[in-house]
Amino acid sequence: MNLGNRLKSNKKLTLNDLASLAGVSTSTVSRALSDNPLIKKETRVRIQALAASHNFSINTAASRLRTQKTKVVAVILNLIDHTEQSISDPFLLKIVGDLNQALNSKGYDLLLSNSFMATDNWANYFINSQRADGLIVVGQGKSDEKVQEVAESNVPLVVWGDPKTKSHYPIVGSNNRLGGSIATEHLITGGCKNILFLGDPEHMEMTSRYHGYQDALEAHAISLDSAFTVACDITSSAAYDKISELILSKGLFFDGIVACSDMVALGAMRALKERYIGIPSDVGIVGFDDILMAELSYPSLTTIKQNTQRAAQVMVNKLITQFDGKNSDSSLIDIELVARQSTKHSL
Amino acid sequence: MNLGNRLKSNKKLTLNDLASLAGVSTSTVSRALSDNPLIKKETRVRIQALAASHNFSINTAASRLRTQKTKVVAVILNLIDHTEQSISDPFLLKIVGDLNQALNSKGYDLLLSNSFMATDNWANYFINSQRADGLIVVGQGKSDEKVQEVAESNVPLVVWGDPKTKSHYPIVGSNNRLGGSIATEHLITGGCKNILFLGDPEHMEMTSRYHGYQDALEAHAISLDSAFTVACDITSSAAYDKISELILSKGLFFDGIVACSDMVALGAMRALKERYIGIPSDVGIVGFDDILMAELSYPSLTTIKQNTQRAAQVMVNKLITQFDGKNSDSSLIDIELVARQSTKHSL
DNA sequence: TGATTTTTTGCAATCGTTTGCATTTTTTGC
DNA sequence: GCAAAAAATGCAAACGATTGCAAAAAATCA
């Protein structure tokens, strides 16, 4: 197909076509469009203008094949189970949104997937196949088997999770232990004596938060009573069920709850409200994440805010570092207590 | 680089390498891997096994260049404003999750973007550049300028929005007018006399819901009073502010609210609860979407459920239809009233 | 057995960009 | 005005998979 025909039809223009139009060679056009100083400035702007006026756009398939780079990062939501609860966790979207922003600002596109849909071999599917240059896995799941497998195949990889986990790959996440401790501390100074920890001990991030809870109790010489450690899936409905059942069977034996996430906290709050238990007068409650609903619930939820925006930037930087052949290690992201109505504030 | 070297190093295998290993030609391997019946069954399984044992994976960059197909669909979140509110709207994640599922089941990957990050010319960036085969735009925004531009450039496109909008591209969305009508009807039969509509009239989906609201009033011979139409951004905080202000300035002159989304309803509910206004005893309230929080709030929120899973499948099917050169039109998705505690139920 | 059909495989061009190297053009210095 | 250096451009070979067509192998028939 010659240039004339291609211009007439709605076939996409190629570098070659542009070259004919500009009266230069293909390589010159290629260099001009990437603003290569090898090409005379005058020529560069002329060609760039021509390209713009024709709505030209580089064919990324060809470019990727030639350069062996995709400029794409696959983000995998590593969900634990297939409930709707976990797949629509508001916290996930927050992270995905921030990752998208961080990636785009570095010139990368985001390919979204989740652990249920992607084939088993992530490294193969995304990297060998040249669909993406690297992987960001959100969530460690209950075991890190799959992630470990990816890491071993030497694929650029960053994981959102608990950074204190021992691993051969970089993990970025909040200072969960400190967060758990601050949350508990906040309840204690507000006057709570019998504080529940509500969360899933098999989940690494939650385990760290639980350790923080223990730290705070210890610091205040409160003995740890296993009856106050309540295992519960990290969904709001599980929390609701658990708290309801607990009150039914044992009465209101606690006056504070450290919840391992906002969704869990909100589920617990609902159980309390249904029974007309005062918040924070009877029971104080602290969540974790600071999702939008935390501010919106009534009473609004005191929580430990995770700085997802910064976390996303850190993750992307670590990944890019790996693209350059260097390797990177785990990082803790600072957290922050956001005191709202669900807890009493000390003076 | 010869085969020996490539096997020793960790360079990716190519079809060519596999061919050498199998003692056949490249084309045979290519066909065998795509299970082309042109190749003897015996040979096919032998080569497939060989490929599997070497963790072989087709290079999609090369494949896309050759076939001119990417097997990728770009999903663009067409956000209205740049607040955190809109970017972390739980309803969006629900749709994105369902789209991902629907796309994967048809063999497509999902490239995520949003209207703030993507460059202006979507058709160029995603389609001409061969990053994706088609576009799914979630949300019509306040004007459909950009979308219109894409549609005109003859790019496979489906939009999530209000299907009754006049357009040259297929729109998939809920039966918003019917939904608005059912919601209002539900309040009326529950005894409400003075029903507020809370939403953004510039937003097409919301406008349809508003028309449904009018339909229901009319059907019950209730005259439409413009004081009961409350314009408000579709975020929970805007709704909270609006209702707070309204009560402050005019007192409690209404006994029912039709909110244009669950987030808006939740914001309004918070404003009511803060003033100890009974829900549903003093004011009944109905939302739209059925996000997770609707069930979790207290009182739980009566709402119009949107069937996002089915919608996602429909959208993907329509897009694939377009890949085959046919064109498709808009579709209405059925909605459903989910009656919960925030409204009185008629007997 | 030899001709003909059917089945199975291989050849080679192509998709559009990038880039090392060669070549041409321009500038500089004397 | 001419050689040498510097700047600008062009040539052509990859990158790896796919596919129409030709060729070879096997099966069928007479």
Side-chain angles (χ1 to χ4, degrees):
Chain A
M1 173 183 273
N2 66 26
L3 182 59
N5 284 341
R6 189 168 294 196
L7 280 175
K8 260 177 281 168
S9 75
N10 54 3
K11 268 269 172 190
K12 289 164 198 155
L13 281 183
T14 70
L15 275 190
N16 234 307
D17 301 331
L18 267 190
S20 311
L21 287 172
V24 295
S25 74
T26 315
S27 41
T28 299
V29 178
S30 173
R31 290 185 175 114
L33 291 184
S34 59
D35 225 26
N36 189 327
L38 223 54
I39 303 298
K40 205 201 313 183
K41 180 132 201 186
E42 192 183 299
T43 319
R44 257 184 283 162
V45 300
R46 181 168 62 90
I47 294 180
Q48 284 164 10
L50 185 72
S53 80
H54 281 82
N55 264 334
F56 174 80
S57 188
I58 281 286
N59 183 321
T60 57
S63 175
R64 287 172 186 171
L65 175 58
R66 173 62 226 238
T67 62
Q68 305 282 71
K69 302 214 160 101
T70 65
K71 286 287 190 171
V72 169
V73 168
V75 170
I76 301 176
L77 304 183
N78 195 9
L79 305 174
I80 294 174
D81 51 30
H82 213 155
T83 63
E84 195 201 343
Q85 304 267 1
S86 66
I87 204 166
S88 58
D89 185 336
F91 185 66
L92 285 182
L93 181 59
K94 221 172 150 186
I95 294 216
V96 171
D98 289 331
L99 280 173
N100 198 10
Q101 194 138 29
L103 285 170
N104 285 24
S105 77
K106 300 282 185 177
Y108 286 83
D109 277 326
L110 189 163
L111 193 66
L112 186 68
S113 189
N114 76 44
S115 49
F116 300 121
M117 299 169 194
T119 54
D120 276 347
N121 193 329
W122 295 346
N124 253 357
Y125 186 76
F126 291 108
I127 309 300
N128 274 342
S129 72
Q130 200 137 161
R131 262 173 252 261
D133 294 334
L135 255 45
I136 293 180
V137 175
V138 180
Q140 294 168 291
K142 289 204 182 180
S143 82
D144 66 345
E145 197 182 333
K146 271 189 185 176
V147 178
Q148 191 63 46
E149 181 191 326
V150 173
E152 273 164 15
S153 48
N154 230 41
V155 161
L157 167 73
V158 179
V159 174
W160 168 271
D162 190 74
K164 290 191 173 152
T165 313
K166 231 175 171 170
S167 71
H168 297 294
Y169 46 84
I171 302 181
V172 173
S174 293
N175 196 334
N176 292 305
R177 186 160 186 166
L178 182 61
S181 164
I182 288 178
T184 313
E185 183 87 26
H186 177 72
L187 286 174
I188 293 173
T189 60
C192 297
K193 306 284 181 204
N194 302 298
I195 303 175
L196 236 53
F197 181 89
L198 187 58
D200 184 349
E202 286 184 57
H203 194 286
M204 302 192 228
E205 287 178 77
M206 307 313 164
T207 307
S208 277
R209 291 171 198 175
Y210 179 60
H211 287 148
Y213 162 80
Q214 292 177 314
D215 293 345
L217 293 186
E218 199 172 329
H220 287 263
I222 302 175
S223 66
L224 184 71
D225 181 342
S226 68
F228 288 86
T229 301
V230 181
C232 153
D233 279 354
I234 45 178
T235 68
S236 47
S237 63
Y240 171 81
D241 292 344
K242 207 77 188 189
I243 293 295
S244 297
E245 175 204 313
L246 218 54
I247 296 177
L248 203 67
S249 63
K250 302 202 205 170
L252 191 63
F253 65 100
F254 54 87
D255 58 6
I257 301 179
V258 172
C260 70
S261 82
D262 283 352
M263 288 306 277
V264 164
L266 291 170
M269 259 175 72
R270 187 176 206 292
L272 297 177
K273 284 192 281 187
E274 272 188 6
R275 283 167 191 76
Y276 302 104
I277 296 170
I279 304 171
S281 55
D282 297 323
V283 174
I285 182 160
V286 185
F288 212 109
D289 288 347
D290 196 25
I291 60 176
L292 201 54
M293 278 308 301
E295 194 179 356
L296 202 62
S297 75
Y298 186 74
S300 58
L301 180 65
T302 293
T303 192
I304 303 294
K305 175 178 180 153
Q306 303 206 60
N307 193 338
T308 53
Q309 205 170 337
R310 154 164 294 268
Q313 288 165 350
V314 171
M315 294 174 86
V316 170
N317 287 340
K318 279 186 196 301
L319 202 60
I320 291 176
T321 301
Q322 292 177 56
F323 293 161
D324 297 338
K326 303 165 214 157
N327 47 5
S328 47
D329 48 9
S330 298
S331 288
L332 275 178
I333 305 294
D334 284 342
I335 44 79
E336 183 189 349
L337 176 80
V338 180
R340 296 204 183 91
Q341 298 167 340
S342 68
T343 53
K344 292 179 221 161
H345 302 186
S346 61
L347 311 178
Chain B
M1 173 184 271
N2 65 29
L3 182 57
N5 284 342
R6 189 167 295 198
L7 280 175
K8 260 177 280 168
S9 77
N10 55 4
K11 268 269 171 188
K12 289 162 198 156
L13 282 182
T14 70
L15 275 189
N16 234 307
D17 301 330
L18 266 191
S20 311
L21 286 172
V24 296
S25 75
T26 316
S27 43
T28 299
V29 177
S30 173
R31 291 186 174 114
L33 291 184
S34 59
D35 226 26
N36 189 326
L38 225 55
I39 303 298
K40 204 202 308 182
K41 181 136 201 180
E42 191 183 300
T43 319
R44 257 186 284 163
V45 299
R46 181 167 63 90
I47 294 180
Q48 284 165 9
L50 185 73
S53 79
H54 282 80
N55 263 334
F56 174 81
S57 187
I58 281 286
N59 183 320
T60 56
S63 175
R64 286 170 187 174
L65 175 58
R66 175 62 227 239
T67 62
Q68 304 283 66
K69 303 213 160 103
T70 65
K71 285 287 188 175
V72 170
V73 169
V75 171
I76 300 177
L77 304 183
N78 196 7
L79 304 174
I80 295 173
D81 53 29
H82 213 157
T83 62
E84 196 198 342
Q85 302 265 2
S86 68
I87 203 165
S88 57
D89 185 337
F91 185 65
L92 285 183
L93 180 60
K94 220 171 148 185
I95 293 215
V96 171
D98 288 331
L99 281 173
N100 197 13
Q101 195 138 27
L103 285 170
N104 283 25
S105 78
K106 299 281 187 177
Y108 286 83
D109 277 326
L110 189 164
L111 193 66
L112 185 68
S113 189
N114 75 48
S115 49
F116 296 122
M117 299 170 198
T119 53
D120 275 349
N121 193 328
W122 295 347
N124 254 356
Y125 186 78
F126 292 108
I127 309 299
N128 275 343
S129 72
Q130 198 135 166
R131 263 171 251 264
D133 295 334
L135 254 46
I136 294 181
V137 175
V138 181
Q140 294 168 290
K142 289 202 181 179
S143 81
D144 67 346
E145 196 182 332
K146 272 188 184 177
V147 178
Q148 191 62 46
E149 182 192 327
V150 173
E152 273 165 15
S153 48
N154 230 41
V155 161
L157 167 74
V158 179
V159 174
W160 168 270
D162 190 76
K164 290 192 174 150
T165 314
K166 230 176 174 169
S167 71
H168 297 292
Y169 45 86
I171 302 180
V172 174
S174 294
N175 195 335
N176 292 305
R177 186 160 188 165
L178 183 60
S181 164
I182 288 178
T184 312
E185 181 88 25
H186 177 72
L187 285 174
I188 293 174
T189 59
C192 297
K193 305 283 182 206
N194 303 296
I195 303 175
L196 235 52
F197 181 88
L198 188 57
D200 183 348
E202 286 184 55
H203 194 287
M204 301 192 228
E205 285 177 79
M206 307 313 163
T207 307
S208 278
R209 291 171 198 174
Y210 179 60
H211 288 148
Y213 161 82
Q214 292 176 313
D215 292 346
L217 292 187
E218 198 172 329
H220 287 264
I222 303 176
S223 66
L224 184 68
D225 181 342
S226 67
F228 288 86
T229 302
V230 182
C232 152
D233 278 355
I234 45 177
T235 67
S236 47
S237 63
Y240 170 82
D241 294 343
K242 207 77 188 185
I243 292 294
S244 297
E245 174 204 313
L246 218 54
I247 295 177
L248 203 66
S249 64
K250 303 201 205 169
L252 191 64
F253 65 100
F254 53 88
D255 58 6
I257 301 178
V258 173
C260 69
S261 81
D262 283 351
M263 288 305 276
V264 163
L266 291 171
M269 259 175 73
R270 187 176 206 291
L272 298 176
K273 283 193 281 184
E274 273 189 6
R275 285 166 188 77
Y276 303 103
I277 296 170
I279 304 170
S281 54
D282 297 323
V283 174
I285 182 161
V286 186
F288 211 109
D289 288 348
D290 196 26
I291 62 176
L292 201 53
M293 277 309 301
E295 193 179 356
L296 200 61
S297 76
Y298 186 75
S300 57
L301 180 65
T302 293
T303 191
I304 303 294
K305 174 177 182 155
Q306 303 206 60
N307 194 340
T308 53
Q309 203 169 336
R310 154 164 294 268
Q313 288 165 351
V314 171
M315 294 174 86
V316 171
N317 287 340
K318 278 186 195 301
L319 202 60
I320 291 177
T321 300
Q322 292 177 56
F323 292 161
D324 297 339
K326 302 164 214 158
N327 47 6
S328 46
D329 48 9
S330 298
S331 289
L332 275 179
I333 305 293
D334 284 341
I335 44 80
E336 184 189 348
L337 176 80
V338 181
R340 296 206 183 91
Q341 298 167 340
S342 67
T343 52
K344 293 181 220 158
H345 303 183
S346 61
L347 309 177

